Amino acid sequence: MSDTTTPLPDLRRDDARYVLVSTWRVGDPAAQRAAAEAALAEWRGSPWPPGLLAHSVLLGTEGHTLLHYSQWTAERAVEDFRRAGRAARNAGIDARMPGIERVEATGYRLYRSAVPAEDVQPGVVVLVTFDTTSAEVGEGFVDALLSLRSGPALGAAPEGMRANHFHVAVDGSRVLNWAEFADEGAHQRVVDSSLRAGDEVPGLIGRTPGLTPLGFRRYLPYGTAVPG
């Protein structure tokens, strides 16, 4: 059994040593919300897996994708759940909402976070992803980016930005930035003002060997299940 709490998880909790990020695809916004509710309902009505701390569901702003962000105590706990409970859990969700396409799932660890002093209520989460040739490439890029952010080139955090939580894939193949904004407009202002050709951040991306940008997707918080 579980409870459903506020839409967003506590990304910086110390006991979350493994994060599983997965995406689903459905046909339209109505199916998107139905799939999200089916997932949370199945978590609420089923035995809670050992080692799972929280499972969050977010809705892609384009109306077709869902993001699942699961925090676990260790990768071993995920492996145990895959062997013992995932098939039944997925079958229960599919019985409630047929037609879900499960696109991909990647295991991460939270590497670093940047949280400004201004407390902004997040209304949208932007996931920015990069392919990397190694974990060292990903960590080096994050370190350089945060150093740039703290320097005079970029100054204070843009208005409406709440936090950036940088994750590195456990296999070293990807970097993910979970960026929280007040709304879509706040993120678009950053895109328009700071992510143009010739700006500092695109320049850093371009001169980092082994780093390939994959773009971003915007998501709306929907719900988080936690142990009851």
Side-chain angles (χ1 to χ4, degrees), residues 20-223:
L20 185 65
V21 178
S22 58
T23 53
W24 293 356
R25 185 180 295 120
V26 293
D28 55 45
Q32 183 190 46
R33 296 187 70 86
E37 188 52 43
L40 290 176
E42 190 66 22
W43 285 111
R44 287 193 295 264
S46 303
W48 192 256
L52 178 59
L53 302 169
H55 182 97
S56 301
V57 182
L58 297 89
L59 308 181
T61 56
E62 84 295 327
H64 296 280
T65 58
L66 295 90
L67 177 78
H68 297 264
Y69 184 94
S70 298
Q71 295 169 293
W72 298 78
T73 56
E75 185 175 5
R76 176 63 181 271
V78 179
E79 295 170 352
D80 291 344
F81 174 66
R82 283 172 172 162
R83 285 193 297 267
R86 184 177 66 172
R89 188 65 47 91
N90 286 348
I93 294 170
D94 291 342
R96 296 173 185 267
M97 177 58 201
I100 296 170
E101 177 188 357
R102 291 171 173 84
V103 180
E104 65 174 350
T106 304
Y108 291 93
R109 55 183 174 82
L110 180 64
Y111 177 57
R112 293 183 64 180
S113 294
V115 181
E118 180 185 4
D119 188 15
V120 176
Q121 182 64 32
V124 65
V125 173
V126 182
L127 290 195
V128 189
T129 53
F130 303 84
D131 274 344
T132 53
T133 54
S134 69
E136 291 74 20
V137 167
E139 292 172 1
F141 168 68
V142 172
D143 293 343
L145 180 62
L146 292 183
S147 178
L148 186 67
R149 173 64 65 185
S150 64
L154 292 180
E159 180 182 358
M161 176 186 286
R162 183 178 187 271
N164 290 267
H165 301 282
F166 295 93
H167 301 65
V168 175
V170 295
D171 65 0
S173 66
R174 189 166 289 188
V175 164
L176 179 148
N177 177 19
W178 169 295
E180 298 173 354
F181 289 85
D183 50 37
E184 292 184 66
H187 176 245
Q188 189 60 46
R189 287 192 293 273
V190 170
V191 173
D192 294 340
S193 64
S194 302
L195 299 179
R196 301 160 299 183
D199 287 336
E200 289 286 347
V201 172
L204 174 62
I205 294 170
R207 63 177 180 267
T208 301
L211 183 78
T212 303
L214 301 177
F216 67 81
R217 289 185 179 272
R218 294 170 177 153
Y219 294 91
L220 304 176
Y222 187 80

